[in-house]
Amino acid sequence: DPHFTEGISNLAGCLYLQGRKGEAVAVYQRAIERRPRVNALHLNLGDLYAQEGLEAEAIAQWQRILRYDSSNEEAKRRLAQIWEKQVE
């Protein structure tokens, strides 16, 4: 349901912008519990982790997508970017 994903992302984004980062993470985590195979939720949670410098957590979210959808270009791109940063 794209409306569910969009609503969750909007809510988490608003919380994040208000500095309520822990709550934003919790929103994504609860949504993922309900719909574990919605790639956009994992992408967005990974992005949030990456913005906070939590690279291992971000990588875990993006790798989880590839377990179910090995052709997901967004997850591959994000992983490549973060691994490039680690090498620098």
Side-chain angles (χ1 to χ4, degrees):
D1 178 5
H3 296 294
F4 172 82
T5 303
E6 184 178 349
I8 290 298
S9 295
N10 288 341
L11 173 59
C14 287
L15 290 168
Y16 184 82
L17 291 174
Q18 293 174 357
R20 298 162 61 185
K21 297 169 186 172
E23 290 176 70
V25 168
V27 165
Y28 278 126
Q29 288 172 335
R30 283 193 303 270
I32 288 169
E33 286 174 11
R34 291 182 58 202
R35 300 199 178 149
R37 291 196 178 197
V38 176
N39 291 342
L41 296 173
H42 293 286
L43 285 171
N44 293 342
L45 180 55
D47 291 346
L48 192 152
Y49 283 142
Q51 290 172 4
E52 292 301 304
L54 301 170
E55 292 179 353
E57 290 85 346
I59 289 168
Q61 289 302 313
W62 300 326
Q63 286 179 329
R64 189 169 174 187
I65 292 168
L66 296 176
R67 276 189 238 137
Y68 302 115
D69 180 8
S70 61
S71 65
N72 188 290
E73 293 301 320
E74 287 296 315
K76 288 179 183 180
R77 184 177 58 78
R78 284 168 167 84
L79 285 167
Q81 288 173 339
I82 207 162
W83 286 331
E84 284 176 19
K85 281 176 150 178
Q86 290 178 342
V87 172
E88 293 175 356

